[in-house]
Amino acid sequence: MGLFTRRNQTADHQNGGAAVTTLVVDPALAALTGDYVIDAAHSSIGFTVRHAMVTNVRGSFAEHEGTLHLDGADPARSTAVIDVKIPSVSTGIADRDAHLLGSDFFDAELFPLMTFRSTEARQLGGDAYRITGELTIKDVTRPLTIDLEFTGSATDVYGNERVGFEGSAEILRSDWGLTWNAALEAGGVMVSDKVKLTFDISAIKQG
């Protein structure tokens, strides 16, 4: 069942008994409407990029924060704001992390934040949603669309009301000015232009 709505079919006797689909707000799920803060300790924002044409390098950003507004009556009015601290990047290799933080890539000393601000949200069906917004890396802002799955809601042992989402998006890093590369002797390049972003979000309701 979707986060916000369920489908309900009723017979429209004025139209020859044809079934008419109406959109009904599910009371239990509508109760999730409200403002949420992302719990960074139980969330992850990561990326995967092809390395040397044959393997994948995976990394994540340990420090991030953000807020969500969920609207159970009108999911299109839901919003998301996320700030990611670039210096917290980790790929498991210190020298590689230092390269990513330098001027060849993120130039983290000058541009310590990567930000996302949503501009549109919609339900695709069931627990699937799509959120569109503006992603800013360094001094470049471009549109980004993230496909999300609502993974559930629960009250934790401390009484916090939580919701969860998993999502992903693909970008071309060159669109944000991250163009560094090195040619391989056998052909191809060291780092793929295409990067997969992943989001595993747990957020706590406020108020």
Side-chain angles (χ1 to χ4, degrees):
M1 182 179 291
L3 170 60
F4 299 109
T5 55
R6 59 184 170 86
R7 298 288 181 176
N8 181 40
Q9 287 191 334
T10 59
D12 185 346
H13 298 292
Q14 293 181 345
N15 291 286
V20 176
T21 300
T22 58
L23 202 59
V24 179
V25 176
D26 185 298
L29 298 178
L32 299 178
T33 294
D35 295 315
Y36 293 76
V37 171
I38 294 175
D39 178 9
H42 295 93
S43 302
S44 64
I45 296 177
F47 59 89
T48 303
V49 62
R50 183 75 70 179
H51 176 262
M53 308 296 291
V54 295
T55 59
N56 287 321
V57 168
R58 293 177 173 83
S60 62
F61 298 93
E63 298 181 35
H64 50 84
E65 59 187 25
T67 59
L68 309 175
H69 174 75
L70 304 182
D71 191 319
D74 184 0
R77 297 180 64 183
S78 298
T79 59
V81 171
I82 301 175
D83 293 333
V84 177
K85 296 183 179 180
I86 296 296
S88 71
V89 69
S90 175
T91 64
I93 298 178
D95 287 345
R96 182 164 59 205
D97 296 345
H99 191 195
L100 289 173
L101 294 175
S103 59
D104 282 342
F105 288 96
F106 289 114
D107 204 357
E109 188 170 336
L110 290 177
F111 306 100
L113 281 182
M114 174 171 61
T115 66
F116 177 78
R117 302 290 186 266
S118 69
T119 56
E120 180 183 4
R122 62 190 181 97
Q123 183 179 17
L124 301 180
D127 291 324
Y129 297 84
R130 178 167 291 162
I131 187 164
T132 300
E134 295 184 336
L135 176 68
T136 299
I137 303 175
K138 297 173 75 170
D139 57 350
V140 180
T141 299
R142 293 182 60 88
L144 176 70
T145 296
I146 305 170
D147 287 331
L148 294 168
E149 178 185 359
F150 172 60
T151 56
S153 62
T155 301
D156 66 23
V157 295
Y158 302 105
N160 297 313
E161 189 173 347
R162 293 178 177 267
V163 293
F165 293 90
E166 292 180 351
S168 64
E170 287 190 352
I171 67 170
L172 297 179
R173 60 188 178 89
S174 59
D175 287 344
W176 281 266
L178 305 178
T179 58
W180 182 91
N181 228 320
L184 302 174
E185 290 185 7
V189 293
M190 181 69 73
V191 184
S192 171
D193 191 22
K194 183 168 67 175
V195 180
K196 181 179 181 180
L197 304 177
T198 56
F199 306 86
D200 192 347
I201 301 298
S202 177
I204 299 174
K205 193 173 187 179
Q206 304 299 291

